[in-house]
Amino acid sequence: MTATEVDVAPHRKHPVDERLPPARMFTSGLQHVAAMYAGVVAPPMIVGPALGLDTKETAFLMGASLFTAGIATLLQTLGFWKIGARLPFVNGVSFAGVTPMIAIGKDRGADGLPVIFGAIIVASVLGFLLTPYFSKLVRFFPPVVTGTVITLIGVSLLPVAFNWSQGGNATAGDYGSTRNIGMAALTLVIVLVLRKLLRGFLQQIAILIGLVIGTVIAVPMGMTGFDAIKDAGLIGFPAPFHFGAPQFEIAAIISLCIVMLVCMTESTADMLALGRIVGRPADERTIEGGLRADTLGSAISPLFNGFMCSAFAQNIGLVAMTKVRSRFVVAAGGGILVLLGLCPVLASVIALVPLPVLGGAGIVLFGSVAASGIQTLATAALEKGENALIVAAAVGIGLIPIAAPDFYHAFPKDLLVVLDSGISTGCVVAIVLNLAFNHLGARRSSEEEPAGEAPGPAPEPVPVAQSVR
């Protein structure tokens, strides 16, 4: 009997479609927001100053990013028509577009933003039209590929947690200080202890409780302050086309079309990973709906001065760890993101969590994703054929941007959009090698699962921290 069969009795809804009581819905959704907040506001914090925007305008971009991330998340979780994966799938601003957007806006200042927004709109519309064809790639994601990609997602996210643990800003004087790392370690211990001692719902929100405790401890240590709350306004709607009407330039559009393909590849891998974790494997229809939500959210985002949206893999770890699989919980998180975008005061409260505290919790979250990938690989029959070689090559190449960040420094900048993403490169390598070894004339024993079939619910692994009820 599979995990899915045990979890879903005929008389009850699948855990993905369950609605929790309002209080649990809100606190669990808030936990998702806390886990992703830094990732949402980081791209505008980088792009804004790079384009010469002042603090006020950069803060406006941050609010717009929160607002549009909330809309994109609602599209994914609730959905309508054929749009939305209808999984506990979080969307936010993609890091893949940061470098190309800075290159587009270089030497233009704020005047570069309309060009960036125009390119995002065109790339998103083209991506939306491609989704029926792109989603068919799911048949090339057997366990040997999905397990590799899920593992790479977790391992690729860990450096983010390590950076947060050191302070987040490499130019700061206290970056990597014993105080920052000590606070991250303390938060990690607090989360682990809470997970061990608490039961029921409190255990499910152990991450959120750990973040609150860590932040309270950080206040007297001078690691966070309340100035941002004092300076924040009560209401701040991201007025449409604040920086001007979108402009369309061919070079910028081509650059961000490449970024869109990267985002679609990563989102496909993330949906496959999340589908296995929640016990509802993502099929072609789910992938197509999820990619439509991605691209539609990205097309809407520039209207409110936001950037390209894609999946947030860090929240997959939170789902695996807490065992809360309801998509309505993540929808509640999307609603909170919309409110944060409309109310800067609320957004500044979330921003009180110091990055070292977030980094300590992130180690557990991102490590959970990698562990889930390893569990998926355990079902991939690595002892048969060249499956072990496929994993070895894909993981090795996927780790290059992490282990040697300057490895591709001599390559054209346009290629770096793809090569600097270990998830994308590892995914492509795994797919190509799987086709080469398991499809093109390769001999397969009759008892082996056909490698080109998308993984079905029947060797469903139990994800990290997930028990069979």
Side-chain angles (χ1 to χ4, degrees), residues 50-266:
L51 269 58
L53 301 186
D54 58 24
T55 304
K56 183 177 179 179
E57 295 288 20
T58 300
F60 180 87
L61 279 182
M62 292 166 58
S65 295
L66 291 167
F67 180 75
T68 54
I71 292 176
T73 299
L74 290 171
L75 286 174
Q76 279 288 10
T77 52
L78 302 180
F80 68 93
W81 185 55
K82 296 181 180 180
I83 294 171
R86 292 174 174 82
L87 291 172
F89 200 52
V90 176
N91 273 44
V93 182
S94 172
F95 256 100
V98 170
T99 301
M101 288 191 296
I102 292 175
I104 292 169
K106 187 178 180 181
D107 301 326
R108 302 192 197 199
D111 293 336
L113 284 171
V115 179
I116 292 172
F117 293 149
I120 292 174
I121 292 173
V122 174
S124 302
V125 171
L126 291 176
F128 186 90
L129 297 176
L130 280 175
T131 53
Y133 310 100
F134 202 92
S135 61
K136 296 185 184 301
L137 292 176
V138 69
R139 63 188 293 264
F140 299 116
F141 283 83
V144 69
V145 175
T146 56
T148 299
V149 175
I150 296 169
T151 302
L152 280 173
I153 290 172
V155 174
S156 297
L157 286 170
L158 282 171
V160 176
F162 301 152
N163 180 51
W164 289 346
S165 298
Q166 295 176 87
N169 183 4
T171 62
D174 65 343
Y175 184 76
S177 65
T178 54
R179 185 180 70 163
N180 285 346
I181 295 177
M183 178 56 66
L186 177 61
T187 304
L188 173 60
V189 171
I190 290 172
V191 170
L192 294 176
V193 170
L194 290 174
R195 286 287 302 178
K196 175 66 177 178
L197 299 180
L198 298 178
R199 293 291 181 270
F201 175 63
L202 291 179
Q203 186 184 60
Q204 293 174 348
I205 61 169
I207 293 289
L208 181 60
I209 297 174
L211 292 175
V212 171
I213 295 174
T215 302
V216 171
I217 295 174
V219 171
M221 298 176 64
M223 298 180 68
T224 187
F226 298 91
D227 291 339
I229 297 178
K230 297 177 182 177
D231 299 335
L234 182 61
I235 299 175
F237 183 77
F241 304 126
H242 176 78
F243 296 96
Q247 299 176 20
F248 306 95
E249 295 185 5
I250 295 297
I253 290 172
I254 293 174
S255 179
L256 290 186
C257 278
I258 296 173
V259 174
M260 176 55 71
L261 290 175
V262 172
C263 290
M264 291 173 73
T265 301
E266 292 190 359

Side-chain angles (χ1 to χ4, degrees), residues 392-403:
V395 170
I397 293 174
L399 288 178
I400 288 176
I402 302 171

Side-chain angles (χ1 to χ4, degrees), residues 15 26 46 48 68 80 85 102 114 120 179 191 248 283 338 340 351 356 375 392 428 438 461:
F26 175 79
I46 297 170
T68 54
F80 68 93
I102 292 175
I120 292 174
R179 185 180 70 163
V191 170
F248 306 95
D283 56 15
V338 171
L340 294 179
Q375 285 186 312
V428 170
N438 293 326

Side-chain angles (χ1 to χ4, degrees), residues 294-319:
D294 262 10
T295 52
L296 179 60
S298 295
I300 294 173
S301 185
L303 305 181
F304 298 98
N305 315 284
F307 300 132
M308 193 174 290
C309 295
S310 67
F312 261 45
Q314 53 261 52
N315 292 79
I316 296 176
L318 187 57
V319 173

